[in-house]
Amino acid sequence: MSERKFSVIREKIRHISIYKKILVIFLLILILICIFCTGIYLQGRSLIKDEISKVISEQNHNMTNYLESECRKIRMMQYQLVKSSDIIDLLVARVQQEGEKERAAIHEIQDSLATIWQCNRLIEEVEVIIPSIDLVINTGTSFRMDEKVKKLIEDYAVLTPGNLLEYEDQLIQISDYLGSEYYVRTRLDKQSVITYMNQMSGSKIGTYLLYDLQTGKTIGNEIEQPIKDILQEMKDKNIIPNMTEKGGYLVQIMPVAGTAFSCVAYVDNKDVYRNLNKYKNIYILLLGMLFISGIWFLKKMFSMIHRPLQVLVHGLEGVSEGNLDERIAYNRYDEFQYIYSRFNNMTIQLKSLIDKNYKQEILLQKAELKQLQTQISPHFLYNSFIVLSNRINAEDYEFASDFSRQLGQYFMFITRNGREYLPLREELDHANTYINIQHTRFRNRFSMQIDELADCYQKIMVPRLIIQPVFENVFKYVVERTRDEIFLHMGFNQEEDMLDIYIENSGEITDSELETMRESLEVTEGEIHGMANIHHRLKIIYRGEGGILLSRSGYGGLRVTIRIKMEIPEGK
């Protein structure tokens, strides 16, 4: 595939919506979860099957070993009995017709038979058959051979001596001491054998029985037809598998040495997976619920994420086209409600900032116009000329000369509009010139303390005429309106990157008067007084960080704080 085709594919993928990407990721996760759960289920089935097979094999092996062990014990005891001298003594006593010795020998044989019978709980009866004297001796009595016993002796040639086998619905084991004229027949209690196998079935997994592969007979409880078919197939094929799974059953056959039987253990797969089938149903239910919840999740994600994102994108497109009246209504309380509210606030504030910017420009122009209008106060000018005229008439020419020089400096400063910003030192010098001029009028009406301006503050660039109008306000509203001597104090205080120039006076001021003055600072319409003019100029110039703060002075009167930044305003 060429690089161009790869680029086209990447471009298509890049333009796929977030919703589609999330959908693909969700489906992949869903598929992986299904594969993982299915793998766990199949692995669980395999483990359970292996474990049950192991248990069946172990129990079947234990039962086979038990039967083999019991048969070996019986053969050993039969062999010892056949070799016993008691039978020889009996035969000799019969030949010599010694009745007392014969009876004694029979009792000895019966004692030996009782010992064998008591040693094994599976033995029902033990008999010694002596065809030569037509006698059968068991644990309780002795009697002449009947037809059944004679037939057994006749069939002895086709039977397997020493092996446990089923003969005429009886479990018997005949001694394999060939060539003798007498035999030991041990008859096992079939019900005890069945009970033992039932105990294995009842306490462990699976069902157990004995199966004669030659005759096809079984010893144990009734078995299911599928097991019969499996055993019949094995009989026909003469195959004895160790473990096989067929017809819905798990079957194991183990030959029992020394017998004609094989021990068969089987378990229905339904029983094997019965508990697991519950989990299978739960697994299928969970997959169904997962599928349904997946559809529900995708629908919810569409309504809760994709659609709100589309609305937001549409809103942003509207704003990018200049529509600042774009608003998004949303009645849910989630993250998008927060985003939409921020979007709405953004458009409102953006429009407000644009309007405010225009208003600030107009306000700044009005403030500058007001500044020009108030640069020369007619009242101040008249009073200054009256003072100058009186001093000349009094022939105080030295004072008149100095006063004229200060007036010239004052008017030269306020009429020079070439510089909008100047060093703080020059602004303070202009304020000092104004205070000196006013001192000629109110010589005994006020006293003044001005703190030394540190060298590091002297070259800070500040807007013109921000200090002198404050003093003008003090003289106009405080000094002129009282006959008491007023104390004035000007100082400086730095807080981080802000410099406070505070001017305070003695006297009295009420809380209501102070609150009224604070409210007048925020007036932007109509007539704006001098300090409000300065306040708005500083707010605009320093983008809300500067301005005038009004508080109560430590001397009882008003404290005016002029707050400026210790840097040149942007763009100046």
Side-chain angles (χ1 to χ4, degrees):
M1 189 178 292
S2 65
E3 183 64 28
R4 182 176 181 182
K5 290 184 179 180
F6 274 120
S7 300
V8 172
I9 293 174
R10 285 196 298 267
E11 191 67 22
K12 288 182 178 179
I13 294 175
R14 191 178 296 115
H15 285 83
I16 295 176
S17 67
I18 295 177
Y19 176 73
K20 291 181 179 179
K21 292 179 181 178
I22 294 176
L23 177 61
V24 171
I25 294 173
F26 178 79
L27 290 176
L28 287 176
I29 294 175
L30 192 63
I31 292 172
L32 289 176
I33 291 175
C34 292
I35 293 174
F36 180 72
C37 292
T38 303
I40 291 178
Y41 173 74
L42 295 177
Q43 182 68 17
R45 283 180 62 94
S46 177
L47 290 175
I48 290 175
K49 178 182 175 181
D50 293 343
E51 192 64 27
I52 291 179
S53 299
K54 181 179 179 181
V55 171
I56 290 176
S57 178
E58 181 179 349
Q59 296 304 317
N60 201 15
H61 183 72
N62 291 339
M63 188 165 68
T64 301
N65 288 342
Y66 174 76
L67 293 175
E68 289 177 350
S69 175
E70 294 302 313
C71 290
R72 281 196 302 270
K73 290 178 182 178
I74 293 172
R75 281 198 302 271
M76 182 60 65
M77 288 184 291
Q78 287 177 339
Y79 178 77
Q80 291 175 352
L81 186 60
V82 169
K83 288 292 187 178
S84 174
S85 61
D86 296 331
I87 298 177
I88 304 298
D89 292 341
L90 174 62
L91 292 175
V92 171
R94 173 64 65 91
V95 171
Q96 295 177 356
Q97 296 182 352
E98 295 178 358
E100 188 64 31
K101 288 185 177 181
E102 181 179 349
R103 285 191 295 274
I106 291 174
H107 285 308
E108 291 295 331
I109 293 173
Q110 287 178 335
D111 290 341
S112 298
L113 294 178
T115 301
I116 296 175
W117 177 76
Q118 291 173 354
C119 289
N120 196 309
R121 65 187 181 92
L122 297 181
I123 296 176
E124 180 180 6
E125 185 60 83
V126 183
E127 299 173 331
V128 174
I129 304 173
I130 309 175
S132 59
I133 60 175
D134 192 22
L135 183 65
V136 178
I137 304 173
N138 58 27
T139 55
T141 184
S142 60
F143 55 88
R144 295 176 62 84
M145 293 175 54
D146 57 14
E147 294 300 323
K148 289 184 177 180
V149 176
K150 292 178 180 180
K151 185 175 185 306
L152 173 63
I153 298 302
E154 293 176 359
D155 294 338
Y156 179 79
V158 298
L159 299 177
T160 304
N163 280 359
L164 179 68
L165 50 88
E166 187 175 20
Y167 180 80
E168 295 184 354
D169 201 31
Q170 292 182 345
L171 283 176
I172 65 172
Q173 185 170 348
I174 303 175
S175 61
D176 55 355
Y177 186 67
L178 300 177
S180 66
E181 296 181 354
Y182 43 88
Y183 311 94
V184 179
R185 180 179 70 169
T186 304
R187 187 169 71 248
L188 271 63
D189 186 0
K190 183 184 290 188
Q191 190 59 45
S192 296
V193 175
I194 295 174
T195 301
Y196 173 74
M197 289 187 293
N198 288 339
Q199 290 176 352
M200 295 291 292
S201 302
S203 59
K204 303 296 181 180
I205 300 173
T207 302
Y208 301 86
L209 55 91
L210 294 177
Y211 175 69
D212 190 336
L213 192 61
Q214 294 181 352
T215 64
K217 293 182 178 181
T218 59
I219 298 176
N221 294 332
E222 186 65 26
I223 60 175
E224 290 84 351
Q225 186 60 44
I227 299 299
K228 292 180 180 180
D229 296 338
I230 293 173
L231 295 177
Q232 183 62 40
E233 181 180 354
M234 293 179 182
K235 178 178 178 297
D236 296 340
K237 295 181 179 180
N238 196 24
I239 298 175
I240 304 179
N242 183 38
M243 179 74 72
T244 184
E245 183 176 8
K246 194 170 184 180
Y249 287 86
L250 191 63
V251 183
Q252 185 189 46
I253 301 178
M254 296 183 69
V256 182
T259 72
F261 299 99
S262 294
C263 188
V264 178
Y266 68 91
V267 62
D268 193 341
N269 282 341
K270 295 179 181 178
D271 296 330
V272 173
Y273 303 121
R274 179 177 288 115
N275 293 330
L276 189 61
N277 286 336
K278 297 178 182 178
Y279 294 102
K280 177 182 178 182
N281 295 333
I282 295 174
Y283 165 70
I284 294 173
L285 179 62
L286 287 177
L287 284 182
M289 292 176 63
L290 188 63
F291 179 74
I292 294 173
S293 62
I295 296 176
W296 176 84
F297 172 78
L298 293 176
K299 291 181 65 177
K300 279 292 183 181
M301 189 169 59
F302 180 82
S303 62
M304 295 175 64
I305 298 179
H306 183 61
R307 186 175 296 167
L309 281 176
Q310 287 182 326
V311 173
L312 181 61
V313 170
H314 177 75
L316 291 173
E317 289 176 350
V319 172
S320 66
E321 293 173 359
N323 181 16
L324 298 180
D325 293 324
E326 188 75 37
R327 302 290 184 272
I328 300 178
Y330 194 69
N331 56 3
R332 294 179 181 173
Y333 293 96
D334 55 17
E335 289 80 357
F336 280 104
Q337 196 274 339
Y338 175 80
I339 294 174
Y340 288 165
S341 63
R342 298 282 76 79
F343 173 83
N344 294 336
N345 290 338
M346 179 195 71
T347 54
I348 293 172
Q349 291 180 7
L350 186 59
K351 186 175 181 180
S352 175
L353 286 173
I354 293 175
D355 294 341
K356 186 177 180 180
N357 185 55
Y358 287 123
K359 289 181 180 179
Q360 284 183 342
E361 290 294 334
I362 295 173
L363 183 62
L364 183 59
Q365 292 176 3
K366 289 176 64 178
E368 292 174 348
L369 178 60
K370 181 66 178 179
Q371 176 191 352
L372 292 175
Q373 291 174 346
T374 58
Q375 279 181 353
I376 302 176
S377 171
H379 182 68
F380 172 77
L381 182 61
Y382 297 154
N383 288 331
S384 298
F385 282 143
I386 291 172
V387 171
L388 181 61
S389 176
N390 290 335
R391 290 298 180 179
I392 292 174
N393 290 333
E395 296 182 354
D396 189 355
Y397 300 120
E398 184 178 354
F399 176 85
S401 176
D402 184 63
F403 187 75
S404 297
R405 181 182 56 79
Q406 292 186 27
L407 280 178
Q409 291 177 350
Y410 173 79
F411 287 116
M412 183 183 297
F413 185 89
I414 64 175
T415 56
R416 184 182 299 166
N417 296 322
R419 290 189 300 168
E420 185 178 355
Y421 297 89
L422 71 168
L424 178 58
R425 177 75 267 171
E426 294 185 21
E427 180 68 16
L428 287 177
D429 290 341
H430 172 68
N432 282 326
T433 300
Y434 175 77
I435 293 171
N436 291 334
I437 293 173
Q438 292 289 35
H439 188 263
T440 61
R441 291 183 58 205
F442 306 104
R443 185 182 301 271
N444 299 322
R445 300 275 295 278
F446 77 94
S447 59
M448 183 75 192
Q449 176 186 338
I450 300 177
D451 294 346
E452 184 69 24
L453 179 65
D455 293 340
C456 57
Y457 301 144
Q458 293 192 12
K459 294 184 180 181
I460 296 175
M461 301 300 290
V462 298
R464 296 176 72 252
L465 294 174
I466 60 172
I467 299 178
Q468 178 262 322
V470 176
F471 279 108
E472 184 178 351
N473 189 78
V474 173
F475 283 106
K476 183 176 180 181
Y477 293 102
V478 179
V479 178
E480 287 185 3
R481 296 185 181 186
T482 182
R483 293 188 177 275
D484 298 330
E485 183 178 352
I486 300 300
F487 176 73
L488 302 178
H489 175 235
M490 181 171 68
F492 310 93
N493 182 46
Q494 179 182 352
E495 292 186 6
E496 296 181 355
D497 63 338
M498 304 298 293
L499 178 64
D500 289 343
I501 305 170
Y502 58 90
I503 301 168
E504 52 186 348
N505 59 266
S506 61
E508 295 182 358
I509 185 171
T510 64
D511 292 337
S512 61
E513 290 174 337
L514 182 59
E515 186 63 30
T516 300
M517 295 180 69
R518 287 172 176 167
E519 292 175 355
S520 66
L521 288 179
E522 304 301 329
V523 175
T524 58
E525 302 294 337
E527 185 66 21
I528 303 176
H529 62 80
M531 285 203 301
N533 180 279
I534 297 171
H535 178 68
H536 292 308
R537 287 171 59 206
L538 294 177
K539 282 285 185 183
I540 294 171
I541 292 170
Y542 295 115
R543 301 187 182 280
E545 295 189 68
I548 288 181
L549 305 176
L550 300 179
S551 60
R552 190 180 298 278
S553 167
Y555 304 105
L558 179 66
R559 178 185 175 116
V560 180
T561 302
I562 304 170
R563 177 162 291 178
I564 61 175
K565 288 182 71 68
M566 296 178 59
E567 61 182 26
I568 300 176
E570 294 182 10
K572 306 302 179 184

